[in-house]
Amino acid sequence: MRLGPQISQATGRTRNWILYDYLQVNGGAERLAITLADSLPGFSLGVSGIYDSFAGTGDLRGVTPVAPGAPLCWLPRVPRALATFGLGYPAIEQADCVIYSGVYAPLAVARQAGGRKIHYCHTPPRFAFDRHDEYVQRAPAPLRPALRLAIRRYRRSYLESLGAMDTVLVNSHHVRERLARLTGIAAQVVYPPIDLAGFRFLGQEDYYLSVGRLEPNKRVDRIIAAFRAMPGKKLVVASGGSELARLAALAASARNIAVLGWQSQASMARLIGNAIAVIYIPSDEDFGMSAVEAMAAGKPVIGVDEGGLRESIIDGKTGIMLHFDPDETALCAAITELTAEAAANMRLACERRARDFSAARFVSAFRALIT
């Protein structure tokens, strides 16, 4: 974990805050929190930590995250976030407005004495709700009873925290429906901010691009399998995650596949801007900022007809939507169909669609809430 010039100690003097769990990777939720801190005058960004995997790839845009001091530095990432926010985050006690984002940061609302309390929900935490049993089964059997108890306590605190908010926002209609079903809370949809200026059409080289985080639910292994079956087509995988070693090994014998790991924001913009198309097929995605960033660069997306992707990709116009739970055969067919020429013909439609999710619209929605 890096605690250096880009992160400062909480002082308690700031009256307006954006609280986010932690800066671990250059993901959509991280970019969203930074966009808010950069765009709302007088707001500071509070996190439990900033980690090397983010420090080497993320773009802070001049924002200086604020974190607790040395007493919590020794804790692993998730316990540190739980301690940072679950114990209260003293700097927000007298805040005029706090925007909470993430799954651990909202726990700090109990410490906020007054002022506006706004929660931006990316997803009801799956480990505590609809995928609880799956997460528990991953743990060694002797630890499962303690894990169940810990998750139960967290779920109770999370629900209490959401109940204390003045306003709850969500990143898609899909998440609004999940949140209502799982918690009974009604929320307002505010789509995430897309940096239209940061993603541009730069040309068209001879590769397709996978941008999904290397986690099981992103199904990048199926994308790699499809390109292993099509050695005449090239794939670049530009992301990292817990499955990096396994997926790199899966692709190692295929000369047409390059697994690059996490990339800087500038590198991602170049890779997207020069690709034929982007492939993004996560399971039950909450929204999927990566798909819209691709469209902002004029690149169509091979996506999947699940979750939040239904709200951004227009089948046949800004990409190809595969049926639920696509297999290698379906992927191969879509890649074959989306030739360089076909992708180029979708450019203008992609760019027009991306404008519906601009950062300006996102920031305007928050300014209306806090003024």
Side-chain angles (χ1 to χ4, degrees):
M1 193 279 295
R2 179 177 297 173
L3 182 63
Q6 290 183 317
I7 190 165
S8 62
Q9 306 295 312
T11 65
R13 291 191 295 269
T14 300
R15 301 288 296 186
N16 300 296
W17 287 89
I18 296 144
L19 295 190
Y20 179 65
D21 299 341
Y22 40 72
L23 300 178
Q24 182 197 11
V25 299
N26 185 30
E30 289 80 2
R31 296 195 294 278
L32 183 147
I34 291 166
T35 296
L36 279 175
D38 184 51
S39 303
L40 298 179
F43 277 77
S44 292
L45 174 60
V47 297
S48 65
I50 181 169
Y51 295 87
D52 287 337
S53 52
F54 176 85
T57 60
D59 178 8
L60 286 170
R61 304 182 190 179
V63 173
T64 302
V66 178
L72 297 178
C73 287
W74 61 274
L75 288 172
R77 173 174 50 87
V78 170
R80 181 176 180 181
L82 283 168
T84 298
F85 300 114
L87 296 177
Y89 211 83
I92 67 168
E93 285 183 347
Q94 303 303 319
D96 294 326
C97 181
V98 182
I99 299 169
Y100 300 86
S101 183
V103 298
Y104 305 114
L107 303 182
V109 72
R111 193 68 175 259
Q112 186 181 346
R116 294 295 308 278
K117 306 177 182 79
I118 301 170
H119 177 45
Y120 189 86
C121 179
H122 301 276
T123 180
R126 295 179 185 274
F127 68 85
F129 290 97
D130 45 343
R131 292 173 61 188
H132 167 269
D133 292 341
E134 175 187 337
Y135 278 86
V136 169
Q137 290 303 314
R138 292 180 187 176
L143 299 180
R144 290 172 191 167
L147 181 59
R148 287 193 184 94
L149 177 61
I151 292 176
R152 189 180 308 123
R153 289 179 174 174
Y154 164 82
R155 183 168 56 238
R156 182 171 60 248
S157 297
Y158 178 81
L159 290 171
E160 290 173 353
S161 298
L162 262 61
M165 300 293 175
D166 297 313
T167 304
V168 177
L169 309 173
V170 289
N171 62 358
S172 68
H173 291 276
H174 175 62
V175 170
R176 183 178 66 179
E177 292 167 3
R178 284 187 61 237
L179 186 69
R181 174 169 49 85
L182 295 171
T183 71
I185 292 173
Q188 173 185 342
V189 176
V190 176
Y191 285 122
I194 304 302
D195 182 7
L196 300 181
F199 294 91
R200 298 275 188 181
F201 185 94
L202 300 177
Q204 194 182 67
E205 298 182 13
D206 63 344
Y207 62 88
Y208 295 80
L209 183 67
S210 169
V211 295
R213 194 176 303 190
L214 304 187
E215 303 294 342
N217 65 305
K218 302 299 185 180
R219 302 193 284 216
V220 178
D221 53 348
R222 302 187 191 187
I223 300 173
I224 291 174
F227 279 87
R228 283 174 58 91
M230 297 187 298
K233 296 185 180 295
K234 294 181 182 179
L235 171 68
V236 174
V237 179
S239 56
S242 65
E243 291 203 308
L244 176 60
R246 183 180 79 85
L247 296 181
L250 181 63
S253 62
R255 295 183 178 180
N256 61 320
I257 303 174
V259 179
L260 304 183
W262 288 116
Q263 300 294 297
S264 69
Q265 193 75 354
S267 178
M268 283 300 300
R270 287 193 300 271
L271 287 167
I272 293 173
N274 286 302
I276 295 171
V278 165
I279 306 174
Y280 190 59
I281 56 165
S283 172
D284 195 29
E285 179 74 330
D286 300 312
F287 174 71
M289 289 176 67
S290 297
V292 187
E293 288 168 346
M295 288 188 283
K299 306 298 178 176
V301 181
I302 296 175
V304 60
D305 191 17
E306 299 178 31
L309 293 183
R310 294 172 174 173
E311 299 175 44
S312 59
I313 303 170
I314 303 174
D315 188 33
K317 293 183 179 180
T318 68
I320 296 175
M321 290 289 270
L322 302 176
H323 292 304
F324 176 82
D325 198 19
D327 58 16
E328 176 187 327
T329 300
L331 272 167
C332 288
I335 294 161
T336 300
E337 179 182 350
L338 193 56
T339 62
E341 181 181 4
N345 289 337
M346 293 183 180
R347 174 185 171 182
L348 294 180
C350 289
E351 293 171 344
R352 283 194 297 268
R353 180 59 171 157
R355 294 188 196 115
D356 293 335
F357 305 94
S358 70
R361 291 189 179 193
F362 173 81
V363 173
S364 292
F366 273 89
R367 286 178 175 159
L369 284 170
I370 64 177
T371 55

